[in-house]
């Protein structure tokens, strides 16, 4: 019997291609606009994972020519102080995108801060106005992770129209906007979650399976329809018996790759695409302001 291994959906390579395109767009637009695009990433406290993500985002900005206006605040910073900073950034003409790095210290209200961001500078695409535009199928800034998934599927010319898509997870960050974007692309969409009964029966029907629950290795090979497209949004830090740390997704990669037609790796799949879409959103806002 011949062994079959799924084709890899290489988010890392596509993210680099997008960054190259964005760099060219910025080089071309800068003389007309008179400045480069600007992104402000706000981080509160000293969560090491968040610090690594922020550094990663700022490095990506520098690479394509986006100016960083990020600020790092001590853990005890108040809601009022942060809202005042966001209000200033809303008015700052050099800033096209604003995002608050999550998670925040417990005393802060993340939703309240998000509502303070001007919708057209909402680089994460999570403001109610932008989610409303997504529901209505209007143009607007889109949530970075699901937008990255869509862009990756498009790059590999994976057709979605009429296909059965199953989204595992219902968060406002990924699950819900993901389902809406798949609907917009004419897929038939099922949303499943921790309370869904008989998950295996649901996932086995999926032509396109998107796992975004944050449970390491939840999806096993027998839960996947042969020839399906499997997109793993989970990024879980696990420690093995010898104390070694590694990143794994929600999908058992090796076994599932024997069944699926396409699969995303973790790391190197959706992670880099999320950052690429953040840059894309910032550049879109920048061009929008100047009607370019």
């Amino acid at each position: 019997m011949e062994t079959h291994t799924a084709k890899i959906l290489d988010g890392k390579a596509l993210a680099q291609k997008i960054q190259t395109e964005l760099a060219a767009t910025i080089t071309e637009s800068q003389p007309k606009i008179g400045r480069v695009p600007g992104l402000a990433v706000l981080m509160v406290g000293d969560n090491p994972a968040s610090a690594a993500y922020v550094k990663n985002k700022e490095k990506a900005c520098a690479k394509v020519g986006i100016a960083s206006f990020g600020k790092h605040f001590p853990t005890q910073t108040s809601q009022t102080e942060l809202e005042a900073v966001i209000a200033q950034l809303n008015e700052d003409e050099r800033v096209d995108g604003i995002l608050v790095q999550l998670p925040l210290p417990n005393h802060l209200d993340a939703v309240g801060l998000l509502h303070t961001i001007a919708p057209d500078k909402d680089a994460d695409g999570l403001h109610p106005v932008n989610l409303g535009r997504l529901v209505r199928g209007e143009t607007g800034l889109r949530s970075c992770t699901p937008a990255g998934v869509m862009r990756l599927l498009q790059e590999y010319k994976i057709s979605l129209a009429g296909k059965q898509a199953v989204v595992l997870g219902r968060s406002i960050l990924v699950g819900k906007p993901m389902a809406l974007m798949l609907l917009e692309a004419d897929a038939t969409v099922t949303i499943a979650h921790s309370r869904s009964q008989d998950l295996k029966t649901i996932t086995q029907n999926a032509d396109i399976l998107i796992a975004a629950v944050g449970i390491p290795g939840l999806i096993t090979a027998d839960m996947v329809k042969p020839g399906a497209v499997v997109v793993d949004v989970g990024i879980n830090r696990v420690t093995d018996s010898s104390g070694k740390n590694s990143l794994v997704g929600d999908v058992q990669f090796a076994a599932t790759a024997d069944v699926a037609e396409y699969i995303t790796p973790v790391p190197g799949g959706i992670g880099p695409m999320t950052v690429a879409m953040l840059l894309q959103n910032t550049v879109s806002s920048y061009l929008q302001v100047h009607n370019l």
Side-chain angles (χ1 to χ4, degrees), residues 10-274:
D10 189 343
K12 198 173 174 186
L14 176 55
Q16 282 166 349
K17 176 179 156 182
I18 292 168
Q19 288 183 3
T20 306
E21 289 166 2
L22 291 174
T25 303
I26 292 168
T27 305
E28 191 192 331
S29 315
Q30 192 187 342
K32 303 174 203 165
I33 293 178
R35 64 174 181 88
V36 296
L39 174 66
V41 181
L42 307 183
M43 182 180 152
V44 185
D46 41 22
N47 177 324
S50 294
Y53 286 135
V54 171
K55 203 170 160 188
N56 192 2
K57 287 168 184 171
E58 289 178 346
K59 221 162 74 182
C61 282
K63 212 160 121 188
V64 300
I66 294 173
S68 285
F69 294 92
K71 295 182 165 66
H72 187 174
F73 300 91
T75 305
Q76 63 279 12
T77 307
S78 73
Q79 185 84 7
T80 316
E81 282 173 83
L82 289 168
E83 285 176 1
V85 170
I86 292 171
Q88 277 175 328
L89 292 168
N90 283 341
E91 297 303 315
D92 191 331
E93 285 177 1
R94 302 165 304 165
V95 175
D96 302 285
I98 303 167
L99 81 94
V100 176
Q101 183 66 43
L102 302 174
L104 288 168
N106 291 336
H107 69 280
L108 294 170
D109 166 25
V111 176
L113 292 178
L114 178 65
H115 287 196
T116 312
I117 297 173
D120 292 335
K121 291 192 178 188
D122 164 35
D124 249 347
L126 296 173
H127 191 283
V129 168
N130 288 320
L131 289 167
R133 286 170 178 157
L134 170 60
V135 172
R136 295 178 59 90
E138 295 168 0
T139 53
L141 297 169
R142 298 284 191 248
S143 314
C144 299
T145 300
V149 172
M150 297 303 285
R151 180 69 182 79
L152 190 56
L153 294 173
Q154 183 194 335
E155 183 71 10
Y156 284 85
K157 300 189 167 50
I158 291 166
S159 132
L160 297 171
K163 297 285 180 67
Q164 294 284 346
V166 172
V167 178
L168 282 181
R170 50 179 164 178
S171 74
I172 203 68
L173 281 169
V174 183
K176 287 175 183 163
M178 186 80 253
L180 288 162
M181 289 179 201
L182 289 161
L183 268 178
E184 203 172 31
D186 297 325
T188 301
V189 183
T190 301
I191 304 177
H193 44 79
S194 56
R195 298 280 176 87
S196 300
Q197 291 181 355
D198 199 2
L199 198 54
K200 188 170 167 181
T201 305
I202 299 172
T203 58
Q204 280 174 339
N205 280 320
D207 300 310
I208 317 282
L209 177 60
I210 296 175
V213 280
I215 301 173
L218 174 72
I219 300 299
T220 52
D222 62 348
M223 294 171 75
V224 175
K225 178 180 180 174
V229 176
V230 179
V231 176
D232 192 349
V233 181
I235 298 181
N236 310 293
R237 209 172 284 276
V238 295
T239 310
D240 67 15
S241 52
S242 67
K244 197 168 131 299
N245 277 321
S246 60
L247 287 180
V248 300
D250 291 349
V251 176
Q252 293 186 9
F253 181 85
T256 304
D258 291 341
V259 184
E261 186 180 355
Y262 288 96
I263 192 166
T264 61
V266 175
I270 300 306
M273 289 304 300
T274 299

